[in-house]
């Protein structure tokens, strides 16, 4: 079981990665934020790469739990996609994790350690698989109809949602900017079948 200090270090590192990026924070920044010495951070996470990998592994696990909760609470595929958009819009509005950690780090892949790159790639694979399964399920049940296959549509939607986060950030973390782009993407790729 992780200690409170361990979790606080992970929280601080994730906040710093989202606000600054991987390459623009140090253990000194975490030390100042958490109130522990750098030696304590190194005890839990010998290298910055170890720390980032753990942050992303935890992030992916939280996402998996959120998806499982969403799947059990919402059965309609279009409503599931809407709930995905709602989640990010709410995060942006509350300025609580207003940007996907995996998407942010993807822009730094050329300079990231290999283990961190694998976690970022795993995150994108997780999201694409989930969106693809939702879209495919909608296609198979006749509740949704797409122009392209579920895999291609999922990747386009994922890219659009991440781009919408970036556009919202440029606009001062404006959730309306995010929503206008992301909701339109859902409308464009999903069409109700004609009766």
């Amino acid at each position: 079981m992780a200690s409170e200090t361990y979790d606080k270090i992970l929280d601080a590192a994730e906040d710093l990665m989202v606000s600054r990026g991987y390459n623009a924070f140090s253990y000194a920044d975490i030390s100042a934020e958490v109130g522990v010495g750098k030696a304590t951070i190194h005890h839990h996470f010998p290298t910055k790469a170890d720390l980032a990998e753990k942050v992303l592994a935890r992030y992916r696990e939280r996402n998996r739990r959120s998806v499982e909760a969403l799947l059990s609470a919402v059965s309609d595929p279009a409503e599931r996609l809407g709930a995905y958009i709602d989640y990010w819009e709410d995060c942006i509005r509350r300025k609580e994790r207003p940007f996907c950690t995996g998407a942010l780090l993807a822009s730094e892949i050329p300079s990231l350690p290999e283990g961190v790159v694998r976690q970022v790639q795993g995150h994108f694979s997780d999201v694409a698989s989930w969106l693809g399964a939702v879209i495919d399920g909608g296609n198979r049940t006749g509740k949704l109809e797409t122009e392209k296959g579920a895999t291609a549509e999922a990747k386009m939607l994922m890219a659009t949602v991440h781009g919408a986060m970036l556009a919202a950030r440029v606009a001062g973390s404006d959730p309306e900017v995010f929503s206008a782009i992301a909701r339109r993407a859902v409308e464009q790729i999903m069409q109700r079948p004609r009766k």
Side-chain angles (χ1 to χ4, degrees):
M1 184 165 143
S3 70
E4 185 177 339
T5 300
Y6 180 93
D7 289 333
K8 284 181 179 181
I9 293 168
L10 286 175
D11 291 342
E14 186 171 0
D15 289 344
L16 288 164
M17 280 192 263
V18 169
S19 65
R20 299 181 187 180
Y22 176 83
N23 291 302
F25 81 91
S26 69
Y27 277 21
D29 296 315
I30 295 170
S31 177
E33 190 166 320
V34 177
V36 298
K38 289 189 281 184
T40 300
I41 301 168
H42 280 288
H43 169 75
H44 291 292
F45 308 99
T47 68
K48 188 175 176 180
D50 294 328
L51 174 58
E53 285 181 53
K54 294 288 193 247
V55 166
L56 284 164
R58 183 181 74 160
Y59 182 75
R60 290 175 65 195
E61 181 56 34
R62 274 195 321 242
N63 285 345
R64 279 192 281 276
R65 286 194 309 267
S66 294
V67 164
E68 288 168 7
L70 175 62
L71 293 176
S72 66
V74 179
S75 61
D76 181 77
E79 289 178 16
R80 285 177 173 171
L81 295 178
Y84 173 63
I85 303 302
D86 290 344
Y87 169 79
W88 282 112
E89 183 179 344
D90 188 52
C91 286
I92 293 166
R93 178 170 284 108
R94 291 183 292 119
K95 297 184 181 357
E96 178 185 297
R97 308 269 189 244
F99 208 98
C100 169
T101 305
L104 182 70
L105 291 178
S107 68
E108 295 185 75
I109 278 183
S111 65
L112 293 177
E114 187 177 315
V116 179
V117 171
R118 280 194 303 273
Q119 285 290 345
V120 171
Q121 290 168 333
H123 164 72
F124 274 80
S125 179
D126 295 345
V127 174
S129 293
W130 174 72
L131 290 173
V134 170
I135 293 167
D136 185 55
N139 285 339
R140 282 187 288 103
T141 61
K143 294 188 175 191
L144 298 171
E145 189 175 295
T146 58
E147 291 179 17
K148 299 176 175 34
T151 300
E153 296 287 4
K155 288 178 181 178
M156 287 188 313
L157 179 58
M158 179 177 61
T160 302
V161 167
H162 289 149
M165 289 176 196
L166 186 59
R169 182 174 259 197
V170 169
S173 294
D174 186 343
E176 302 307 320
V177 169
F178 170 80
S179 184
I181 297 166
R183 290 188 194 289
R184 180 71 179 131
V186 171
E187 292 168 9
Q188 284 179 332
I189 67 169
M190 308 301 241
Q191 302 169 354
R192 290 282 175 191
R194 293 187 183 104
K195 293 186 179 183

